[in-house]
Amino acid sequence: HLSHVQEERNSRSQRMAQKQSIWATLPPITCGALATATMMYPVDLVRALTMSAAASGKKGTTVELLKEFHAQHGLKGFATQGVVPEMLRATYMRVLKFFLFPITHKAMYGKPETQGTGISKAIAAGVASLPEGFTIQPIEVAKIALQLDKANKYNNNASAVIKDILAHRGWTGLFIGYFGIQYRQTSWTAAYFASLKFFSDQSKSVIPADYKMLQNLCGGVAAGGVGGVFY
């Protein structure tokens, strides 16, 4: 009986430690996501401008698009136009992605992601990305509207974009293009986590063990490059 009680206590302690370790990952994930979102904002802006030009059939180089954007919003526009919804979207989606993935893998396969296969990681990552794609959609719409607001109609105010869409298209207007966004998030997340271990192992084979941080960085960047094909 005493042995059974001790085992129960040990099991309870392990469950509590696991829960604490899960929540302990949130602060570093959030800080990393915020730093990444900050560095990637200019790249996201260029992507939005070039994609909009391609969709409208407008011809011109990226430099010409940037000059036009500068004429409309000034130099500060490169750091402020649509930056609030973009920082919110990019930070939130990465926090959700990296926080939910190990939980989802454990729930689906009964073992941590470190013991999973490439396929199990891809499936778990795809499932974990579902709430991410749905919840960032309205923020994505507001961000793009501000980045492409040539007439400064919304005065760089995401709330003004949301109110305008709700007034003219209803709440469904906030989810225009949802399936494209969800495909992007799901495919990127699945490709990243499925290939991360492979690239991490490859980086360890060419980078000395003393440079562990560099090993992790290179492995993550390579896996991100694979995921970026779907982005």
Side-chain angles (χ1 to χ4, degrees), residues 113-129:
E113 77 283 359
T114 54
Q115 300 176 12
T117 64
I119 294 178
S120 72
K121 292 176 183 178
I123 294 174
V127 173
S129 72

Side-chain angles (χ1 to χ4, degrees), residues 23-228:
W23 289 106
T25 62
L26 269 180
I29 288 176
T30 303
C31 291
L34 182 60
T36 303
T38 302
M39 292 186 292
M40 290 300 295
Y41 177 73
V43 179
D44 182 79
L45 177 61
V46 172
R47 180 173 67 96
L49 293 175
T50 54
M51 290 179 66
S52 174
S56 62
K58 180 180 178 180
K59 295 183 180 181
T61 65
T62 301
V63 173
E64 291 172 340
L65 293 174
L66 292 176
K67 286 181 178 179
E68 183 179 349
F69 181 87
H70 178 267
Q72 295 160 354
H73 302 289
L75 186 61
K76 72 173 185 178
F78 289 98
T80 61
Q81 194 66 24
V83 71
V84 173
E86 170 57 16
M87 294 294 289
L88 176 61
R89 179 199 72 87
T91 302
Y92 165 76
M93 78 172 190
R94 288 184 175 91
V95 169
L96 200 63
K97 185 195 309 292
F98 286 94
F99 180 70
L100 289 182
F101 168 64
I103 298 175
T104 304
H105 193 283
K106 177 72 173 179
M108 292 181 66
Y109 299 101
K111 56 185 176 181
E113 77 283 359
T114 54
Q115 300 176 12
T117 64
I119 294 178
S120 72
K121 292 176 183 178
I123 294 174
V127 173
S129 72
L130 295 179
E132 170 191 333
F134 183 79
T135 53
I136 69 169
Q137 173 64 24
I139 309 174
E140 181 91 22
V141 170
K143 181 262 298 188
I144 294 176
L146 293 179
Q147 289 178 332
L148 304 180
D149 184 16
K150 297 181 179 180
N152 204 25
K153 174 182 177 181
Y154 301 112
N155 196 29
N156 201 23
N157 189 325
S159 297
V161 176
I162 300 296
K163 290 178 181 178
D164 186 52
I165 292 175
L166 291 175
H168 292 89
R169 298 189 177 185
W171 69 269
T172 56
L174 297 175
F175 291 89
I176 293 176
Y178 162 72
F179 291 105
I181 295 296
Q182 187 62 68
Y183 169 77
R184 182 190 71 184
Q185 298 304 123
T186 300
S187 58
W188 185 96
T189 306
Y192 174 83
F193 284 111
S195 62
L196 180 58
K197 185 179 186 305
F198 170 77
F199 287 113
S200 294
D201 291 342
Q202 294 303 307
S203 68
K204 291 176 183 177
S205 67
V206 296
I207 300 175
D210 293 338
Y211 300 94
K212 190 169 183 62
M213 183 177 293
L214 182 60
Q215 290 177 345
N216 294 334
L217 177 63
C218 292
V221 169
V226 172

Side-chain angles (χ1 to χ4, degrees), residues 1-11:
H1 177 71
L2 291 177
S3 176
H4 177 73
V5 172
Q6 186 62 40
E7 289 179 359
E8 181 63 27
R9 288 178 179 175
N10 292 338
S11 178

